Amino acid sequence: MPTSSRAPKRRTAAPLAASAALLLAALLSAAPAHAAPTADRDDDTPKPPAKMSDVGGKRLGRPGTQVSLKGGAPALPKGLSGLSWMVADAESGDVLAAHNAHWELPPASTLKMLFADTVLPKLPKDREHKVAPSDLAGMGAGSSLVGVKENLTYSVHDLWLGVFLRSGNDAVHVLSAMNGGKGKTVQEMQAHAEQLNALDTHVVTPDGYDEKGQVSSAYDLTLFARSGLQKADFREYCSTATAQFPGEYKKDKKNKGKKKRESFAIQNTNRLLTGFQVPQYKGIAGVKNGYTTHAGSTFTGVAQHGDRVLLVTVMNPQKEEANEVYKETSKLFDWGFKAADKVEPVGTLVRPGPKGLTNGSASDGNRGSGKKAGDHAQAAVSPGEDGSGSGGMWTAIGVTGGSLVLLGGVAYAVHRRWPLPELVRRRSRG
């Protein structure tokens, strides 16, 4: 979804500056409380605020990389260039490592996770809607599209496939119209973000298209993914690799010239899921990627190895290489699965509601306070935390009994209550 804004460019640092950066990294690596930045950055790279929100723990409000390695823990990957990133345990909520976790940045289409988490429970998946021209009005120039056409009828299920697989802004606008309009949908998204304690987020558009003032953070995007994954339909859509999308009606020569509706194949734009141009990540099960010229590339993913389920979010890598956001996400997943039992958490993913802020303490004993209530517009909206919809079968992945079964026999269990039952079970061990 290109816009007139330009993402920051990264230049090659001068040899002297690079040497100084390496020396500084070596000196700081001995301090367990704070790791050095994981990529050389020049003066043109945007700098994070000196103080950010401390929701989830005070360390998450500090600029730079936050990690506490214990004995035998692997070092963080080299060459990470994302302006912001985070690795968290999806079940316990422990933040294993983070870099500028609360930096408010343009989210691009990863904001569609919040859109889906807000609107999906309100629209039955078998409901059908004939698209009016007004439904598609107001989309930004260069928007990503799945191919929704005026005066044709689509099911809610079809439209959500268009949102998740093709990041279709046209599908988002039609679903927003079905939900009462763009303005109402934006208000409900904002209210739901605040109910989740995602207080870095300010919603202007439901599709994530670049607009002045529209921001989120790696921390908030991770909260949206974690909340959305409680819902069976959300899990289905975000983990679907390919699907058929309804097309136009054409004459059927085999049936006396009667018109028959055609369909066309669509593929998920999450390349770690499909393996397109990058290796498919083992155990991946979603969630959502995005790109605009202002936001750069953004991505939140969820994956499971054994009993461990991790969420990784990366925002706006500065390294100008193809598919860099997926490469850095894969590195962070690999590190997280190896390091999970060998680090002290630097924060936590807070629970929804006011009690989430008071109970969401980090490992350093500090509790996140965030921003004052009412910083953003609010509207009444159902939290939709208990899940909705039913499972189904689709290419490569199926839903059975509330669990995702992936290629390779990896099972991904997503729980539907707060606190997560698996977290309760682990705590009961001792």
Side-chain angles (χ1 to χ4, degrees), residues 321-342:
E321 294 187 9
N323 301 310
E324 184 63 22
V325 73
Y326 300 109
K327 295 174 184 177
E328 297 192 14
T329 297
S330 293
K331 290 179 181 180
L332 287 168
F333 268 131
D334 287 344
W335 175 84
F337 285 119
K338 293 176 183 177
D341 295 320
K342 300 175 182 179

Side-chain angles (χ1 to χ4, degrees), residues 344-375:
E344 291 291 342
V346 295
T348 188
L349 300 177
V350 296
R351 291 172 56 189
K355 290 184 179 180
L357 292 179
T358 58
N359 295 330
S361 59
S363 59
D364 60 3
N366 295 307
R367 293 175 177 174
S369 58
K371 301 175 183 177
K372 295 184 294 182
D375 280 355

